[in-house]
Amino acid sequence: QVKLQQSGAELVKPGASVKLSCKTSGYTFSTSYMSWFKQIPGQSIEWIGMIYAGDGGTGYNQKFKGKATLTVDTSSSTAYMDLSSLTTEDSAVYFCARKGSPYNWFAYWGQGTLVTVSS
Amino acid sequence: DIQMTQSPASLSASLGETVTIECRASEDIYNGLAWYQQKPGKSPQLLIYNANSLHTGVPSRFSGSGSGTQYSLKINSLQSEDVASYFCQQYYDYPTFGGGTKLELK
């Protein structure tokens, strides 16, 4: 079955960067799209961007350009998201999710990674 | 950006009751709409896609309808396990979500 396993919670200092991972199994990663989302607890969900594992092509929400960088490692079927120049406003739960076919609904989600930015 | 306005923000209902959650898009999204259920500390779970198609394994008491800019999610015969937050999401353009509806038992 399809599984998306995200890396563990992170506590990082303001100004630092963090790299989150989303290890997948149960489907053909190399021909799939992966999206990433941000959710501050108790609030709604924001789409950060999407990457096509086949060629590494990306698309970003304008709001997160310069903040998030999406990459993949097809040899390990893992997607990554780098978050840079972190501030307290970046404290949130971040999810990876695989898009449906052929449209951008999301049937498979990781369990989420809590990022806390604090000095 | 396509803005999604969801209502109500919170809802209290009794077991067995029918509840409806509304979502309005800032422009026509041509049925490119999904609904999710999210329980505290968990990831969102897909309920409905294409505005009215029930995702595999989702109980038939959930249904979606609508067109153009107006969409709704209906839950028939509310069960205790339905207590959760619900979000609409459009995918006609890059994905955007409604503000969410928190459903509680009365």
Side-chain angles (χ1 to χ4, degrees), chain A residues 37 39 43-47 61 95 103-107 109-112, chain B residues 34 36 38 42-44 46 49-50 55 87 89 91 94-95 97-99:
Chain A
F37 300 84
Q39 186 177 35
Q43 298 188 20
S44 187
I45 304 166
E46 293 182 281
W47 179 76
N61 181 338
F95 294 99
Y103 300 114
N104 273 328
W105 69 74
F106 303 95
W109 294 71
Q111 82 277 22
Chain B
Y36 299 88
Q38 187 179 33
K42 301 295 186 181
S43 53
L46 178 68
Y49 61 96
N50 289 350
H55 181 54
F87 295 92
Q89 176 233 323
Y91 48 87
Y94 81 82
F97 291 78

Side-chain angles (χ1 to χ4, degrees), chain B residues 13-56:
Chain B
S14 302
L15 291 174
E17 197 173 327
T18 295
V19 300
T20 300
I21 299 168
E22 308 278 357
C23 207
R24 184 181 79 248
S26 58
E27 61 184 83
D28 195 330
I29 56 172
Y30 300 94
N31 283 16
L33 186 97
W35 289 97
Y36 299 88
Q37 177 192 71
Q38 187 179 33
K39 297 184 177 180
K42 301 295 186 181
S43 53
Q45 300 297 303
L46 178 68
L47 299 173
I48 302 285
Y49 61 96
N50 289 350
N52 56 22
S53 296
L54 195 67
H55 181 54
T56 304

